[in-house]
Amino acid sequence: MTDRERAASLLMLHAPGTDPTAMRALVDQGIAGVILMGDNMPGSEAELAALTGALQSDPDAATLIGIDQEGGIVSRIAWDPAPGPYELRDQPAAATRDAFAARAAALEASGVNINFGIVADVTDDPASFIYDRILGTSPQASAEHVAAAVEGERGTVASTVKHFPGHGAAPGDSHVSVPSAPLTLEQWQAGPAVPFEAAIDADVELVMTGHLSYPAVDAAPASLSQEWHRILRDELGFEGVLVTDDMLMLQHNGLPEYADPGENAIRAVAAGTDLLLYVLPSDPSEFGISVDGLAASIAGAVADGRIPPERLEEAAIRVMELRRELVSGTGE
């Protein structure tokens, strides 16, 4: 693969609508896969399975098809049979395992192979925007339910935990700002880190980094932070795929340092990201985004020495390994 092809293979994009044509056109440009949002949802499981089936063509490497199916207030499919996090966190962890097993089965039947659906954030503040989506209001309770959710999905869809290093400690909404958490590294290790450690111990396949900052560790958002990626790899021992939250959120927050989508992509890959997520409108050029433009920015940064070639290769290999594993299922 050329550096441009490697760079394109790190992208996971969205195209609106229930006609697979636009999504297939993105896949044919060499991206890793697509993320499905509410505007992609037809009326039935069978119709969604037909849509997702149209996006698969390589017998050796599955197109990644991801979705935010947390249950409860963040649900894309209407036929999810399981309760949401708000109900599950007051039940035994076994109930969470069973719920996410049922949720994963519904996703698999719909042709989805990655669920961005396990919230590992922790807060006991009902005013927090993330409160209704968490699986526990204490680190230990969250850890038990998060691990159970990963166990429930295992072998059916690839699991993702989010939003590393923990949104509950960072007041504000990362869709419109870069929230800041007032914790030291030691305080983080004793609190927000615990559910992510439990997920990693349960062999979660993906961790999603958030556009949020812990200034005592790094002023940069975790999604662009080399230090937070190092902590995930070297201290927590995560060996799977690191995926960003929607990269357009950085542009939407209005801060000038995040106005350039190419620069944001370069910083994310240089920091240690493997998979870049973009929830695009019908006309991506509205935000200065195209597959060619993003791939050229990343490949250009390799040529300029901002991204080591081995960093790009490492990310491309890690994503491709996941795609190959998903061809025959995620079971062990």
Side-chain angles (χ1 to χ4, degrees), residues 186-204:
E186 291 74 21
Q187 290 170 325
W188 173 79
Q189 290 168 334
V194 175
F196 290 99
E197 291 176 314
I200 292 167
D201 288 345
D203 295 325
V204 71

Side-chain angles (χ1 to χ4, degrees), residues 294-320:
L294 291 171
S297 292
I298 295 168
V302 174
D304 293 342
R306 293 188 61 192
I307 298 175
E310 58 270 20
R311 166 81 277 273
L312 178 60
E313 183 177 14
E314 170 193 61
I317 289 173
R318 197 173 278 127
V319 172
M320 183 56 70

Side-chain angles (χ1 to χ4, degrees), residues 2 30 59 93 95 127 157 171 177 186 216 250 264 285 292 294 297 299:
T2 65
V157 297
S177 66
E186 291 74 21
L250 284 171
N264 293 338
S285 66
D292 282 341
L294 291 171
S297 292

